[in-house]
Amino acid sequence: MKVYLIGAGPGDPGLLTLKGKRILESADVIVYDYLANDAFLAYAKPGAEIIYVGKKGGDHTLSQDGINRLIVDKAKEGKTVARLKGGDPYMFGRGGEEAEELLDAGVPFEEVPGVTSAVAGPAYAGIPLTHRSYSSSVSFITGHEDPTKPGSVHNWKALADSASTLVFFMGMKNLPEISRKLIEAGMPAETPAALVHWGTTARHRSLVATIATLPEEGPKHGFTNPSLIVVGGVVNLHDRLNWFEQKPLLGKGVVVTRAREQASGLAEALRELGADVVQFPTIEIIPLADYAPVDAAIRDLPGYDWVVFTSVNGVKHFWNRLAACGQDSRALAGRKVAAIGPATADVLRTKGIEPDFIPEKYVAEGVVEGMLARGMGGKRVLLPRAREAREVLPDELRKAGAVVDVLPVYETVPSTARKDDVLARMQEGRIHCVTFGSSSTVDNFFSLVPVDMVKDHPEVKLACIGPVTRKTLEGYGLTCHIQPEDFTIPALVDELVKRLPDL
């Protein structure tokens, strides 16, 4: 039994510490907050209990006392509990109170520090909190306190006179009073000040003004909590050092519809460019109920001339069965191997197989054209793939005289995960693009999301990886706005960078 108070950082998933990730991967229970990026939940081990206890805008899912009892009770069940908190647990995060409760209850604990938003948010906005030309100290201040109440813990005169950079947490409600108190205490009205909203996330925005004008400028530009208030000369560096807000897709909500097993590369590439990625796997890849036909085909591999892989998943699941049968890549010795595209070819190379053929066009028709040029008459071809897939490749090879055995090695089924989230974001205007990586993702997406809803939101642009997927989309009466010339994920990302900001 043990509880880990883990700082999840300010929102950018890459700012979680390695120790925090390791604990999340082994915890029996994960208790997480509103401000902790829910992408971290993907690290949870199968069967882990995940409990949301966030607080948003005064709506408390569970009181602080209730949270304290929950983590104590879960630990006393003999479980390892990961208490995931936004930012750093001990920086205005009430982590100290939770630690005291655990200590009083006789529950062992560790605190795993996190990157605090007070440092990371301004840094992403180009505001270093210390700089030799401006400030050599920093003050972190709660913005929750009512500055007008008697006996304020804040020494406004000391804050106003200090050369420190001032950083106020969650102070938007009290911003007018904060501004007034600082100026009344002697701070020059023209002192630079900034707001950083949802710092380090895809929703990150910043605004620079003065301490006098910030209370008016902030609401005018739609700034609300969670926003940091930064006051001091270091704010002058914002325009020069503001690197994060230069990302080309910053703030663009992009839905990735690929199966989770396939989506990580696309999702990560888009996040690196600033996009607010929603992973909405419309299909889930599951193993077959019966692998006897696959095992039989593996035993019969010496009888085939070609083995053709049309997806990364086809490679992965075929090799899983090779291993289950006590074999490895040597089983393909003497066979020619084809890959539908570079991603599939790269996975084959990790298995020690250099493909004999990769088409110039990464679709089934491209494979057909290239293989027919190599002579298919009388050749035996094995095609490991999904149970449900297009029949163009096997049909055309058979017409050329090849004997083709279609070998299902995995299945795809519709997935409803995050449907409500996507629908809500679309209604809120937070979805700017939906990406489709195959015809099946199009069909499954519109089995969950009404076509008319997409038509009612013309700001939502639709991107397809290639012409086959585009044709399927057009079958729903919709327009494909973005399609790369090369039918690959990197090319799709490049095209989104070129086109999406201007659409």
Side-chain angles (χ1 to χ4, degrees):
M1 123 179 126
K2 193 166 192 176
V3 174
Y4 293 89
L5 304 174
I6 303 173
D12 181 341
L15 296 181
L16 179 70
T17 65
L18 293 174
K19 183 172 183 178
K21 177 177 180 287
R22 176 175 58 78
I23 294 168
L24 289 175
E25 290 170 337
S26 61
D28 302 307
V29 182
I30 298 175
V31 179
Y32 75 105
D33 274 354
Y34 169 63
L35 291 180
N37 193 311
D38 64 7
F40 300 138
L41 303 181
Y43 298 136
K45 68 181 182 181
E49 184 179 4
I50 299 174
I51 305 171
Y52 172 64
V53 294
K55 293 167 276 189
K56 179 181 179 182
D59 180 13
H60 291 225
T61 303
L62 200 62
S63 69
Q64 186 62 51
D65 286 343
I67 294 172
N68 294 343
R69 287 194 299 271
L70 174 67
I71 59 178
V72 168
D73 290 345
K74 290 297 179 181
K76 288 191 171 181
E77 292 175 8
K79 296 177 178 177
T80 298
V81 180
R83 171 69 173 108
L84 190 62
K85 301 173 71 68
D88 179 89
Y90 284 1
M91 180 66 77
F92 297 121
R94 305 190 72 171
E97 298 171 40
E98 293 178 12
E100 288 182 303
E101 288 286 336
L102 293 166
L103 190 64
D104 291 343
V107 175
F109 74 93
E110 286 187 25
E111 196 267 351
V112 181
V115 178
T116 174
S117 61
V119 173
Y124 274 46
I127 304 173
L129 297 186
T130 64
H131 188 282
R132 290 177 61 186
S133 300
Y134 296 102
S135 175
S136 58
S137 60
V138 185
S139 295
F140 296 125
I141 310 152
T142 177
H144 277 304
E145 185 193 48
D146 181 355
T148 65
K149 73 180 181 181
S152 170
V153 298
H154 297 332
N155 184 332
W156 294 99
K157 179 65 174 171
L159 293 174
D161 290 343
S162 169
S164 290
T165 302
L166 308 181
V167 182
F168 292 85
F169 284 72
M170 304 296 283
M172 283 302 298
K173 180 179 179 181
N174 290 328
L175 180 54
E177 285 298 308
I178 292 171
S179 171
R180 183 177 65 83
K181 284 290 186 180
L182 288 172
I183 293 172
E184 286 180 351
M187 177 175 283
E190 64 274 14
T191 300
L195 293 174
V196 182
H197 179 67
W198 278 110
T200 80
T201 74
R203 299 167 68 182
H204 169 111
R205 290 193 299 143
S206 63
L207 172 71
V208 170
T210 67
I211 191 58
T213 60
L214 198 63
E216 179 182 351
E217 293 298 316
K220 182 192 300 184
H221 290 87
F223 278 76
T224 60
N225 277 324
S227 291
L228 291 167
I229 304 166
V230 186
V231 183
V234 291
V235 172
N236 288 321
L237 295 167
H238 170 275
D239 292 349
R240 292 189 64 198
L241 304 183
N242 186 0
W243 60 274
F244 188 64
E245 291 172 41
Q246 309 309 312
K247 292 192 174 243
L249 297 181
L250 184 64
K252 295 293 185 182
V254 181
V255 177
V256 174
T257 58
R258 304 185 94 202
R260 191 166 296 277
E261 293 86 346
Q262 298 171 303
S264 59
L266 175 58
E268 183 59 29
L270 293 172
R271 285 196 186 101
E272 282 296 311
L273 294 165
D276 184 8
V277 177
V278 184
Q279 291 205 50
F280 182 35
T282 59
I283 57 174
E284 180 181 352
I285 295 171
I286 62 173
L288 301 176
D290 180 15
Y291 275 99
V294 181
D295 296 346
I298 288 173
R299 289 192 296 271
D300 193 31
L301 274 174
Y304 289 98
D305 300 289
W306 281 87
V307 181
V308 181
F309 293 97
T310 59
S311 71
V312 168
N313 282 308
V315 176
K316 290 180 178 178
H317 287 268
F318 183 79
W319 251 263
N320 286 344
R321 287 317 297 176
L322 273 180
C325 293
Q327 299 196 54
D328 57 24
S329 301
R330 290 172 292 182
L332 275 74
R335 317 282 76 73
K336 290 189 178 297
V337 176
I340 196 170
T344 304
D346 285 344
V347 176
L348 281 167
R349 291 184 183 108
T350 67
K351 310 296 184 184
I353 302 294
E354 180 61 38
D356 296 282
F357 171 61
I358 306 169
E360 293 184 4
K361 295 182 179 179
Y362 311 135
V363 291
E365 289 81 356
V367 179
V368 169
E369 182 180 347
M371 293 192 68
L372 292 184
R374 286 160 172 77
M376 287 291 107
K379 301 295 186 182
R380 286 194 69 195
V381 179
L382 183 65
L383 182 57
R385 64 174 208 182
R387 186 177 295 282
E388 300 294 331
R390 297 174 68 224
E391 298 300 325
V392 172
L393 179 54
D395 286 350
E396 293 301 317
L397 292 178
R398 286 175 183 135
K399 289 178 184 177
V403 177
V404 181
D405 291 332
V406 173
L407 181 68
V409 292
Y410 65 93
E411 290 190 76
T412 60
V413 295
S415 172
T416 60
R418 303 205 70 170
K419 171 186 174 182
D420 292 341
D421 184 27
V422 168
L423 293 175
R425 287 178 184 234
M426 196 173 293
Q427 292 284 20
E428 295 166 4
R430 292 175 54 199
I431 298 295
H432 301 91
C433 182
V434 181
T435 64
F436 298 104
S438 66
S439 292
S440 60
T441 62
V442 176
D443 291 332
N444 289 325
F445 183 82
F446 290 111
S447 72
L448 301 171
V449 176
V451 173
D452 287 342
M453 185 173 184
V454 176
K455 291 180 177 179
D456 290 342
H457 289 273
E459 74 279 5
V460 178
K461 305 307 176 184
L462 306 176
C464 296
I465 197 168
V468 175
T469 305
R470 180 184 192 129
K471 184 176 180 181
T472 303
L473 179 67
E474 291 171 345
Y476 286 89
L478 295 167
T479 299
C480 174
H481 304 96
I482 299 171
Q483 180 201 304
E485 292 185 11
D486 292 332
F487 315 141
T488 65
I489 293 301
L492 177 60
V493 172
D494 289 344
E495 200 67 17
L496 286 169
V497 170
K498 291 178 187 175
R499 304 281 310 283
L500 187 57
D502 298 325
L503 287 176

